[in-house]
């Protein structure tokens, strides 16, 4: 079962998060962040992929789009502008804060591919997480 959640950044950008609930007792929650040239759909391919796999293993999955990607537009072609620092200092803290508030006390793990992974490391190193 999937639903949608929004995270608001401190500069007013709205980020979209697809939430997939597990059908079993949840073991934890995971925030998935994507690479630069893709969006959250990279984790869901025709109902299969990493996000559905994690949900089947008992994880509540928060599959997020960074600003300018997927449902968190506008894209560059639509006039969207942002920097790497916006993702590190605005997007990731907003996503983590929103997911923690929605996770019902479950431990939250962040899993990122490429851009999602190294911006998470940068944000953690700069103490951007609650």
């Amino acid at each position: 079962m999937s639903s949608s959640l929004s995270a608001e950044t401190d500069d007013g950008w709205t980020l979209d998060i697809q939430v997939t609930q597990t059908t079993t007792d949840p073991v934890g929650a995971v925030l998935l962040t994507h690479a630069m040239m893709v969006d959250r759909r990279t984790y869901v391919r025709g109902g299969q992929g990493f996000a559905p796999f994690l949900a089947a293993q008992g994880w509540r999955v928060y599959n997020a789009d960074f600003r300018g990607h997927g449902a968190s537009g506008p894209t560059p072609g639509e006039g969207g502008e942002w920097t790497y620092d916006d993702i590190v200092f605005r997007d990731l803290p907003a996503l983590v804060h929103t997911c923690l508030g929605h996770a019902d006390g479950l431990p939250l793990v962040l899993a990122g591919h490429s851009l999602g992974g190294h911006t998470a490391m940068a944000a953690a190193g700069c103490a951007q997480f609650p």
Side-chain angles (χ1 to χ4, degrees):
M1 176 171 96
S2 292
S3 60
S4 187
L5 185 63
S6 294
E8 188 82 20
T9 66
D10 66 1
D11 64 343
W13 205 298
T14 301
L15 306 174
D16 197 71
I17 308 165
Q18 181 182 37
V19 183
T20 304
Q21 302 287 348
T22 180
T23 57
T24 65
D25 287 334
V27 297
V30 60
L31 168 58
L32 299 179
T33 56
H34 58 79
M36 180 59 152
M37 303 306 287
V38 296
D39 58 35
R40 70 178 179 217
R41 293 175 299 170
T42 196
Y43 292 117
V44 181
R45 299 286 183 190
Q48 299 180 8
F50 195 47
F53 170 80
L54 289 171
Q57 303 308 307
W59 290 86
R60 180 179 302 160
V61 179
Y62 296 96
N63 193 4
D65 277 327
F66 287 130
R67 62 180 65 209
H69 294 82
S72 297
T75 66
E78 299 167 330
E81 294 183 21
W82 65 92
T83 67
Y84 179 84
D85 285 353
D86 290 328
I87 295 172
V88 171
F89 296 112
R90 292 187 160 102
D91 290 11
L92 276 166
L95 290 168
V96 169
H97 177 75
T98 299
C99 293
L100 280 172
H102 188 267
D104 301 322
L106 294 170
L108 180 67
V109 175
L110 195 151
H113 172 245
S114 192
L115 174 70
H118 61 77
T119 55
M121 294 298 292
C126 294
Q128 291 300 304
F129 296 135

